[in-house]
């Protein structure tokens, strides 16, 4: 029997896709922000996290399940694709720098829900959160089209 991380860890739907559970119950604002924050995050096979940008660095730490692709556009608009997991072509930690635009999706052939933790430095707030849905993303970065296939 495969683990049901979403139910087991009491996760809720996330605005960008996937599921999450805040591990620190302190809701931050720009004026009241801890030095770091952490959530559990899960993506089911075939699901993706919409592209978004934060005003803090974010570490994605793999725990279990299928490998993910993390698509990252740096400040100059250059794309790099990182694989998050334990396969030979992946790594267990991916760092996304503040201001970079990024999204994640299950790698081809994914059969399991992926469980990870996201650690932000400093703590995440919605004050400077930027979310781009498919149409807006493709208008800004047409080369992102394969992400949505």
């Amino acid at each position: 029997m495969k683990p049901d991380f979403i139910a087991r860890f009491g996760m809720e739907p996330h605005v960008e896709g996937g599921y999450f559970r805040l591990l620190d119950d302190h809701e931050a604002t720009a004026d009241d922000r801890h030095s770091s924050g952490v959530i559990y995050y899960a993506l089911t096979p075939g699901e993706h996290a919409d592209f978004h940008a934060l005003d803090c660095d974010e570490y994605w730490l793999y725990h279990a399940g299928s490998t993910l692709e993390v698509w990252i556009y740096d400040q100059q608009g250059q794309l790099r694709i990182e694989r998050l997991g334990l396969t030979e072509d992946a790594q267990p930690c991916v760092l996304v720098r503040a201001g970079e635009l990024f999204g994640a999706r299950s790698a081809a052939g994914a059969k399991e829900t992926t469980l990870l933790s996201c650690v932000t430095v400093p703590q995440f707030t919605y004050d400077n959160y930027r979310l781009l849905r498919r149409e807006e993303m493709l208008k800004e970065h047409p080369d992102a089209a394969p992400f949505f296939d």
Side-chain angles (χ1 to χ4, degrees):
M1 181 174 174
K2 294 180 182 174
D4 182 356
F5 301 124
I6 296 164
R8 180 177 173 195
F9 297 116
M11 297 179 167
E12 299 176 3
H14 197 292
V15 67
E16 67 205 28
Y19 300 85
F20 82 107
R21 185 178 118 207
L22 184 64
L23 295 180
D24 178 358
D25 63 1
H26 175 82
E27 196 162 322
T29 65
D31 298 330
D32 180 26
R33 197 170 184 181
H34 289 228
S35 60
S36 65
V38 63
I39 63 170
Y40 286 143
Y41 186 72
L43 274 178
T44 60
E47 189 172 31
H48 70 268
D50 282 324
F51 282 89
H52 56 289
L54 311 177
D55 67 348
C56 52
D57 290 348
E58 184 169 34
Y59 294 88
W60 282 44
L61 306 165
Y62 175 86
H63 297 305
S66 293
T67 299
L68 292 182
E69 292 180 352
V70 184
W71 290 46
I72 305 167
Y73 286 89
D74 67 19
Q75 298 280 359
Q76 290 72 43
Q78 296 299 306
L79 172 65
R80 74 180 186 278
I81 300 172
E82 304 279 354
R83 291 178 59 85
L84 180 69
L86 295 178
T87 56
E88 193 170 309
D89 62 344
Q91 51 192 326
C93 179
V94 170
L95 170 61
V96 180
R97 296 282 181 193
E100 293 182 324
L101 186 60
F102 68 105
R105 69 179 193 170
S106 300
K111 293 183 177 27
E112 298 177 325
T113 296
T114 305
L115 175 66
L116 57 134
S117 291
C118 297
V119 178
T120 58
V121 180
Q123 185 180 23
F124 167 79
T125 72
Y126 281 102
D127 295 330
N128 294 305
Y129 177 71
R130 180 177 178 223
L131 179 65
L132 286 86
R133 300 288 186 206
R134 184 180 192 278
E135 281 185 24
E136 188 177 7
M137 185 63 197
L138 292 177
K139 190 174 188 178
E140 191 169 313
H141 293 280
D143 62 331
F147 176 87
F148 298 101
D149 292 342

